[in-house]
Amino acid sequence: MAPTLCSKCSTLRFYDLFNDDVIFHPDLNSLVQSAKKCECCNLWWTQVQRTCTTEDIAACQAKKLPANAVKSSDNGDFRIYLRGEWHPAGTASVPDQIWLSCGVLVSARGHDAPTKLQTHLAVFSDPASPAGALFAGRYSTSAHNPEYYATFAKMTLAACRKGHGVCNQACPPGARQMPTRVIDVGDQTLPAAKRVTRIVLTKDIKQPQPYTALSYCWGRGTQAMLNDKNFADFLKLLPESKLSKTHIEAIDLTRLLGIRYLWIDALCIIQGNQKDWESESKRMASVYGNAELTIIAGRTADSGLGFLTNNYLTTKKHPKPVPMKVGPHPHTGEGPDLGIVYLTIQRGKSVGPVDTRGWCFQEALLSNRSLIFGEDQVSYQCRLHTRYEDGCVDLDTSKREQSLTSLNPGTKQEVLRRWYQMLVSFTPRALTEPHDIFACIVSVALITHGVLKARYLAGLWECDMPRGLLWKSRWSYTSRKHFLPIEKPLASPFTKRPGEVPGKPVIRAPSWSWAYVTGPVFWDTNPRIESKWVDVKNICIRPRDSKGLWTNQSGAGNPDVLHMPALELQLFGKAVQVRCTNVLKKKTPLTPEGIMLELTKPAPSGKAAPAPSGPAKPNYIALGYFDFPSDPRPANIWCLPVVAHEGLLLTRDGKGKFHRVGWFAVQDGKQFEGVKETAVDLV
């Protein structure tokens, strides 16, 4: 059915708007009235309300100038203008779009100021239309070009195979190592009725073959899974009717791409078999790194829902796209009429629920090529760029080139910096089974170990222990609007571990490890001050072992260890006992809110302190930040300087062992000078 358009919208052409302001409505009130009947004006009015403040909208409707505005014939233009923006295909990080502006203002000093209202709509075309060759944006939903994802997938993968040398170098076909098991989606040369879908052992495949890998959220919809009982049956036939919708759609998409093999964890790892799970968990770098393509089912949180169908309009509740005439070529003005394009609210780039799950993190990080079914649109990411369905191309390769899986790993300091930055992105993610915290990044740890050659101690690298120990909560230190506070990890609702109660706190790492908590944490990775982590004069702790080992515990240090609930560090440091005062230091742009700490007794010094004259002034030694501020304060609190200006807040148990409870910033370093170095056992 043709949309209902007003006389203005029915005659507008993109060519007339390109790089030129065209009057759309005499004022904002006219647009509001037209929006009641015209679908295009309604789309614009919806976008104005979505993106502009109520104050600015009210000012434009009242045609009210600010107090400092120049009152002249050139000011106070409250007409609504449109201007088109077009880019040759594949050259812009924003889609083709049309801008709306209203309320041209000039300040009292005569300088141009931004217009009072400004917003935009994205432009897309249908792939087979005359405009499709010129406008790169596409739009695939359940109601508009629902099958376009297949065209997009084939086109982007073929272009990457043909022209991206760095992507082909990362995963050369002849050197590809296949997973232990894959799903054979059937011989594509046979009729559909004769194809057999089954699990195959790759040792029986003569030469390595291309395969896809699936990254997705299990949810409650994962049905048929590989186990010891059905293993022999699945080698003969994998019953597609019993699979979850996401698994079925991944099989269908793999067939559409002309690829015969597919890897899905639920069907290629023997579920319930601990030995097989541990073995396969350590091979994720190979599984995803060697895949021809990783299919990321980002937009759904449950595998029973599938991922190919884009219900963007339904979930976002936006007005549907509206058509607009193009006219001739917008840049040259030559050639035939190009038919129509469509205007729509610009879609976001969010991946979706998959981006909140712990296991999916390394799957995306380790992949060389990914087809991402995001919340609003499909995108293709490789080592060279990210291309979006709406026509945007993100040429910023820093995310890929500076990742831990880069072909050029860089210096040890660069790798350490990337490790911490990776953890900053990883720690906000959720895990159904909290004890998987090390298992779901084990492949990344193995890659990092290949460069650092250092022991891996419960998520920290022995070659950088001072910085590794000083992790901090992003909630307490940065913005409380954007981050949740860290918490104690809770047992899985499905836990069968002895002594664990579903939903109750569990211990999955030593107290000094970032893995002891759940939630967003961060480290200081500023390269300008990186020397403070390597300058011996600045470091205040040292290992007790004469060989420089921070722990002598048996079995410690292997990067492929999947569980590390307990690990003791043996070190020397200047630990002093302190007490909390009632003084809170308020949050500033540079420091978070903290509690002032003072010594329980004066530190020994070589000289007698002079008698105080007048009222004694507070002499705070440190500003403390507890990891769990709402918990009761420990019975005893200790400050252990790690570097000259920062350290760990500890508490001491009945066995003399120290546990981390937070961190502190030094306020008076002189009070630590007289403290003798003592042995500290940190658990």
Side-chain angles (χ1 to χ4, degrees):
M1 181 181 295
T4 303
L5 302 177
C6 65
S7 58
K8 184 67 175 179
C9 292
S10 62
T11 57
L12 277 175
R13 299 189 306 172
F14 189 89
Y15 169 73
D16 300 321
L17 305 177
F18 180 59
N19 282 346
D20 196 10
D21 286 329
V22 173
I23 296 175
F24 183 38
H25 276 278
D27 53 39
L28 187 57
N29 292 320
S30 173
L31 173 66
V32 175
Q33 288 301 314
S34 183
K36 295 177 181 179
K37 295 182 179 180
C38 174
E39 292 182 33
C40 185
C41 290
N42 178 59
L43 182 62
W44 277 114
W45 175 229
T46 300
Q47 181 68 344
V48 167
Q49 294 175 93
R50 286 182 67 250
T51 59
C52 302
T53 66
T54 54
E55 292 80 9
D56 286 345
I57 292 174
C60 283
Q61 286 184 303
K63 300 182 181 180
K64 183 179 180 181
L65 291 173
N68 67 339
V70 176
K71 292 178 174 58
S72 69
S73 59
D74 296 327
N75 205 354
D77 185 351
F78 288 98
R79 290 176 291 186
I80 295 179
Y81 293 88
L82 298 181
R83 172 184 283 261
E85 180 181 339
W86 171 81
H87 312 275
T91 63
S93 58
V94 294
D96 298 327
Q97 51 199 359
I98 295 177
W99 287 90
L100 177 148
S101 59
C102 175
V104 178
L105 304 177
V106 179
S107 68
R109 296 182 179 181
H111 299 300
D112 288 336
T115 54
K116 201 66 177 173
L117 290 184
Q118 194 169 43
T119 189
H120 69 276
L121 292 175
V123 176
F124 72 87
S125 62
D126 287 335
S129 69
L134 198 65
F135 292 86
R138 300 290 184 264
Y139 190 89
S140 176
T141 68
S142 56
H144 194 107
N145 293 325
E147 305 295 330
Y148 177 72
Y149 67 86
T151 303
F152 179 83
K154 292 177 182 178
M155 176 185 66
T156 50
L157 180 58
C160 185
R161 284 168 167 169
K162 183 178 179 180
H164 296 179
V166 66
C167 302
N168 293 323
Q169 180 187 356
C171 187
R176 180 182 286 116
Q177 181 183 2
M178 298 184 72
T180 306
R181 309 172 194 95
V182 290
I183 302 166
D184 184 345
V185 301
D187 186 345
Q188 303 302 296
T189 63
L190 297 175
K194 294 186 177 181
R195 295 176 194 158
V196 177
T197 305
R198 63 192 184 95
I199 305 295
V200 296
L201 306 179
T202 56
K203 66 181 180 62
D204 297 329
I205 300 175
K206 294 181 179 179
Q207 292 182 336
Q209 298 295 319
Y211 66 92
T212 60
L214 179 65
S215 178
Y216 67 108
C217 294
W218 279 41
R220 296 183 180 275
T222 300
Q223 299 176 18
M225 294 183 286
L226 182 67
N227 55 49
D228 288 315
K229 292 182 179 179
N230 61 26
F231 187 92
D233 293 334
F234 280 13
L235 290 177
K236 299 175 183 177
L237 176 67
L238 184 62
E240 292 188 41
S241 61
K242 295 183 179 180
L243 302 182
S244 68
K245 189 174 181 180
T246 290
H247 294 170
I248 293 171
E249 291 185 346
I251 290 173
D252 291 340
L253 180 56
T254 299
R255 288 171 178 155
L256 280 172
L257 295 172
I259 298 174
R260 183 163 177 174
Y261 300 103
L262 164 66
W263 188 90
I264 300 176
D265 55 1
L267 298 170
C268 297
I269 298 176
I270 304 174
Q271 305 302 310
N273 185 317
Q274 187 67 19
K275 183 178 180 181
D276 191 68
W277 180 85
E278 291 184 359
S279 173
E280 295 300 310
S281 295
K282 299 173 184 179
R283 303 187 72 238
M284 291 302 100
S286 174
V287 169
Y288 286 94
N290 286 319
E292 183 74 1
L293 181 72
T294 296
I295 301 167
I296 299 181
R299 60 177 55 136
T300 52
D302 193 305
S303 62
L305 301 176
F307 63 93
L308 292 181
T309 301
N310 184 358
N311 293 313
Y312 166 72
L313 282 181
T314 305
T315 56
K316 299 291 184 179
K317 298 182 180 179
H318 293 328
K320 65 182 180 180
V322 294
M324 179 183 186
K325 296 176 181 178
V326 180
H329 193 294
H331 186 64
T332 65
E334 300 174 351
D337 188 301
L338 295 173
I340 63 170
V341 290
Y342 294 85
L343 302 183
T344 185
I345 291 173
Q346 184 173 343
R347 288 162 287 168
K349 297 180 178 179
S350 172
V351 173
V354 156
D355 250 1
T356 68
R357 306 303 302 171
W359 274 102
C360 297
F361 178 79
Q362 75 168 357
E363 294 168 2
L365 187 68
L366 297 168
S367 300
N368 291 302
R369 297 183 175 111
S370 300
L371 184 65
I372 305 168
F373 289 80
E375 282 189 330
D376 295 356
Q377 59 179 316
V378 180
S379 61
Y380 176 87
Q381 185 181 71
C382 63
R383 288 182 174 269
L384 197 61
H385 65 213
T386 302
R387 182 178 293 274
Y388 294 88
E389 177 189 313
D390 66 4
C392 296
V393 178
D394 184 358
L395 298 175
D396 181 9
T397 59
S398 60
K399 179 181 177 182
R400 306 292 287 170
E401 289 303 311
Q402 294 180 13
S403 74
L404 291 163
T405 58
S406 171
L407 297 176
N408 303 303
T411 66
K412 287 188 176 182
Q413 283 303 316
E414 289 172 337
V415 171
L416 284 167
R417 194 183 313 131
R418 294 173 200 165
W419 170 260
Y420 294 122
Q421 291 169 349
M422 181 272 295
L423 289 180
V424 168
S425 299
F426 169 71
T427 52
R429 294 180 175 234
L431 288 168
T432 302
E433 172 49 74
H435 296 283
D436 287 350
I437 187 72
F438 296 118
C440 64
I441 58 168
V442 64
S443 290
V444 182
L446 287 166
I447 293 171
T448 308
H449 177 262
V451 179
L452 298 179
K453 310 297 183 185
R455 293 204 302 172
Y456 183 60
L457 305 176
L460 280 67
W461 296 101
E462 193 167 40
C463 61
D464 197 43
M465 287 300 288
R467 176 163 45 176
L469 289 167
L470 283 173
W471 49 268
K472 301 162 187 172
S473 164
R474 297 192 77 180
W475 178 82
S476 65
Y477 200 84
T478 53
S479 172
R480 296 189 177 185
K481 294 182 180 179
H482 300 99
F483 300 103
L484 295 172
I486 58 175
E487 299 175 341
K488 296 174 182 177
L490 304 179
S492 164
F494 317 106
T495 185
K496 296 181 180 179
R497 293 173 178 268
E500 285 192 358
V501 178
K504 297 297 181 180
V506 297
I507 295 176
R508 63 183 182 185
S511 69
W512 45 265
S513 169
W514 56 267
Y516 181 78
V517 303
T518 182
V521 300
F522 78 104
W523 289 259
D524 186 350
T525 58
N526 187 342
R528 293 184 177 182
I529 55 175
E530 214 158 46
S531 59
K532 78 177 185 179
W533 305 111
V534 294
D535 184 357
V536 177
K537 296 179 181 179
N538 191 60
I539 297 174
C540 304
I541 57 174
R542 61 188 177 93
R544 295 212 302 265
D545 182 81
S546 60
K547 296 180 181 179
L549 301 179
W550 289 85
T551 180
N552 286 313
Q553 188 167 315
S554 177
N558 294 327
D560 61 350
V561 174
L562 303 182
H563 302 287
M564 291 173 264
L567 187 60
E568 180 179 305
L569 300 181
Q570 298 96 24
L571 53 97
F572 285 117
K574 295 183 176 182
V576 295
Q577 192 166 4
V578 298
R579 59 172 169 254
C580 293
T581 68
N582 293 322
V583 179
L584 293 178
K585 185 172 181 181
K586 293 184 178 180
K587 179 180 174 66
T588 71
L590 297 178
T591 59
E593 180 180 279
I595 300 173
M596 286 298 185
L597 305 172
E598 60 186 7
L599 291 173
T600 55
K601 57 182 179 180
S605 62
K607 301 177 182 178
S613 58
K617 295 182 179 180
N619 194 11
Y620 304 123
I621 188 173
L623 179 61
Y625 308 94
F626 288 94
D627 291 334
F628 309 109
S630 60
D631 280 7
R633 300 265 173 82
N636 61 83
I637 305 171
W638 298 71
C639 282
L640 174 69
V642 175
V643 291
H645 302 292
E646 293 180 344
L648 297 179
L649 285 181
L650 308 175
T651 188
R652 199 172 192 175
D653 63 24
K655 298 180 180 179
K657 308 293 184 181
F658 286 93
H659 303 251
R660 170 178 167 142
V661 291
W663 67 280
F664 68 87
V666 174
Q667 297 294 292
D668 183 4
K670 291 183 179 180
Q671 295 190 53
F672 286 103
E673 291 179 358
V675 179
K676 292 183 179 180
E677 200 176 54
T678 58
V680 174
D681 295 326
L682 190 56
V683 296

